[in-house]
Amino acid sequence: MFGAGNQGRSGSRRARLRRAAARALVGAVLTGAAACGGDGATGSDKGGKDARTDGKAPASTPADNADESASSAGSGESGTPGASGGSGALSQRDLTALAFTDGEKIGKYTAGEFSLGEPQGEDYTADPATCQPLVSLAKGATAFDPASEVHRNVDVAEEMVGTTVAVQLRSYNGSGAAGVMKALGAAGKACAGGFVENRAVAKGQYLKVEPVKAPDHGDEAQAYRFTILDVKGTLKLYEYLTVVRSGATTLSFRADILDTKDIGKVPEEVITAQWKKLEAASTR
């Protein structure tokens, strides 16, 4: 939990707000703009169906999925988390039930809701657009939009500068989740030599996209290490992305630190704890 009673909870939330503001400021300072691209290694991938990788969805898809998401959230209908390939998206309510709760402890980490909106949202784009799945899997990132999604922030609440993990759960209709993984794998190959991430207040130059060992969870999983250049073109920063698919649902983990330190991977305890929640639901 955040702390004893409301006072501890409020204090921790204020700390999170301060840290979020600091992260936004430092992130804008550390990352700069310059375009680059190339071919290279792939991310680990155990399966998936073909999908478009141009970062653009059919015109009718976002609206249709938004309607489906609202309908499922209201009715409480859900798919089966572990169903191979996925046939129906989980409702917003059911997906939320699988996510970390506000104040939940995962080892030394504490989970909470994002104070400043969805991380890596639709205002984060890639150049070239083929690289978009590496930047964000929000609506419009691929030809498959999520019907429901939940976002959690996981960090060490007392640390202003330290490892933080954006944990994002998304559920898709039909074979959408498998299609997203296919698009992610294609982006990992096409963008191995780098790309530019366009943000609201800055641009980030990714120098390299490298596949790293993915966890043995779900139907398939991919993991990547990003090397990013700072705004002065002198410092290299590192981020890690791991995405796991189980049926119609994906679990995305993006880890970074406000430092030049290479954290080595997404914290295993965070991935394992979230995976166990999804796995337990699939066996009920």
Side-chain angles (χ1 to χ4, degrees):
M1 300 298 290
F2 282 116
N6 293 332
Q7 182 177 356
R9 181 179 296 269
S10 298
S12 183
R13 281 178 173 163
R14 286 194 296 271
R16 284 179 181 275
L17 282 169
R18 288 195 299 271
R19 183 177 178 188
R23 287 185 60 80
L25 177 60
V26 176
V29 172
L30 289 179
T31 54
C36 57
D39 299 321
T42 66
S44 58
D45 189 352
K46 293 186 285 185
K49 300 180 183 291
D50 290 341
R52 285 169 48 188
T53 59
D54 61 2
K56 297 180 181 179
S60 62
T61 301
D64 292 344
N65 283 345
D67 291 342
E68 290 164 358
S69 177
S71 176
S72 63
S75 66
E77 295 177 359
S78 65
T80 303
S84 179
S87 58
L90 294 175
S91 70
Q92 188 71 27
R93 183 185 68 182
D94 290 339
L95 195 64
T96 300
L98 299 178
F100 291 129
T101 58
D102 190 23
E104 182 171 349
K105 297 290 292 184
I106 309 101
K108 68 177 182 179
Y109 299 95
T110 303
E113 297 182 5
F114 279 92
S115 304
L116 301 178
E118 175 187 347
Q120 304 294 119
E122 296 177 58
D123 56 341
Y124 279 66
T125 60
D127 182 13
T130 303
C131 306
Q132 184 64 36
L134 297 170
V135 170
S136 170
L137 292 176
K139 290 183 178 180
T142 72
F144 305 93
D145 284 346
S148 56
E149 53 187 317
V150 177
H151 313 283
R152 294 290 183 263
N153 182 62
V154 176
D155 60 17
V156 180
E158 295 76 20
E159 294 182 357
M160 182 65 72
V161 177
T163 300
T164 184
V165 186
V167 181
Q168 298 175 280
L169 293 72
R170 296 182 173 94
S171 198
Y172 300 81
N173 287 309
S175 60
V180 165
M181 297 299 289
K182 189 69 174 180
L184 179 64
K189 293 178 181 179
C191 307
F195 64 93
V196 172
E197 176 186 275
N198 297 302
R199 309 171 184 175
V201 295
K203 293 184 178 182
Q205 181 185 354
Y206 283 57
L207 298 177
K208 190 184 298 185
V209 176
E210 303 171 275
V212 294
K213 181 176 175 57
D216 189 21
H217 298 320
D219 297 316
E220 56 181 316
Q222 299 179 38
Y224 297 95
R225 174 183 185 260
F226 303 134
T227 303
I228 306 171
L229 193 65
D230 81 313
V231 69
K232 294 184 178 180
T234 56
L235 300 177
K236 291 182 179 179
L237 313 175
Y238 304 94
E239 289 185 2
Y240 286 82
L241 173 67
T242 296
V243 183
V244 177
R245 179 182 72 84
S246 181
T249 300
T250 63
L251 307 176
S252 172
F253 307 86
R254 185 179 293 268
D256 65 6
I257 187 171
L258 293 180
D259 198 338
T260 56
K261 176 183 177 182
D262 187 342
I263 59 176
K265 58 184 175 181
V266 177
E268 289 184 5
E269 59 265 50
V270 176
I271 295 176
T272 300
Q274 182 58 81
W275 165 250
K276 286 183 175 179
K277 287 176 175 287
L278 180 61
E279 185 179 39
S282 69
T283 60
R284 288 201 293 265

